[in-house]
Amino acid sequence: MKRSVKTLIVGVSVAAAVPLLATATAQAAPPGSVYFNYGGKNCAITPDGVIGCDGWQMVTAVTLPVGGGLPIDVPAPQSIQDASGIHPSYDFSQPYTLPGGNPDFYAVANDQGPWGPRLSFAGAFCEISFRGWFRCVARGA
């Protein structure tokens, strides 16, 4: 009996999350954004410090309050990183990819971080970090 109650709660939580994902899409890159490509992903930093990328990837969409917090990853064609974290996006109206593709990250990097090039714009940045990893930090994150 106890097990079926937990299953019901999880089922309801997941079902409730689906409409949230469909309606809570973020706006993609507006005019004035800085575009780049790194590792085959086309991304942009917007004038308000949000970072978005095109390309299918798994993005944690919901954390259920079952078992101490269970993250649920969903496939998303875009991801948005802002001050509250990384979110899936399904807004195809303004992609993060320029016609013909985005310029290489190394070509648009405008700063130097402790381990390599950095692209800083609007209070956000993306950089080559420790051991060659690539990371981005949105404004306020």
Side-chain angles (χ1 to χ4, degrees), residues 24-31 46 48 50-52 78-80 89-91 93-96:
T25 58
Q27 181 182 6
T46 68
D48 58 353
V50 172
I51 301 163
Q78 295 174 325
S79 64
I80 306 294
S89 175
Y90 302 90
D91 180 2
S93 64
Q94 296 182 47
Y96 297 103

Side-chain angles (χ1 to χ4, degrees), residues 13 18 20 27 36 41 49 61 64-65 100 109 114-117 128 135 139-140:
S13 297
V18 173
L20 174 68
Q27 181 182 6
F36 65 92
K41 294 270 189 238
L64 298 176
W115 290 285
I128 305 299
R135 75 178 189 127
R139 180 171 63 196

Side-chain angles (χ1 to χ4, degrees), residues 57-71:
Q57 55 200 306
M58 296 301 286
V59 179
T60 301
V62 178
T63 301
L64 298 176
V66 177
L70 175 66

Side-chain angles (χ1 to χ4, degrees), residues 1-140:
M1 179 78 177
K2 205 174 197 181
R3 182 177 171 90
S4 63
V5 170
K6 280 187 179 179
T7 303
L8 177 62
I9 290 170
V10 170
V12 169
S13 297
V14 171
V18 173
L20 174 68
L21 292 175
T23 60
T25 58
Q27 181 182 6
S33 298
V34 175
Y35 293 85
F36 65 92
N37 178 298
Y38 185 82
K41 294 270 189 238
N42 286 312
C43 302
I45 302 176
T46 68
D48 58 353
V50 172
I51 301 163
C53 295
D54 288 329
W56 284 94
Q57 55 200 306
M58 296 301 286
V59 179
T60 301
V62 178
T63 301
L64 298 176
V66 177
L70 175 66
I72 294 181
D73 290 341
V74 297
Q78 295 174 325
S79 64
I80 306 294
Q81 181 181 3
D82 58 20
S84 63
I86 299 176
H87 317 282
S89 175
Y90 302 90
D91 180 2
F92 298 104
S93 64
Q94 296 182 47
Y96 297 103
T97 304
L98 293 169
N102 292 359
D104 186 71
F105 172 76
Y106 292 95
V108 295
N110 58 6
D111 200 359
Q112 183 69 27
W115 290 285
R118 173 186 279 195
L119 171 60
S120 300
F121 179 70
F125 67 89
C126 293
E127 69 180 355
I128 305 299
S129 66
F130 184 67
R131 294 191 179 190
W133 295 349
F134 188 77
R135 75 178 189 127
C136 291
V137 176
R139 180 171 63 196

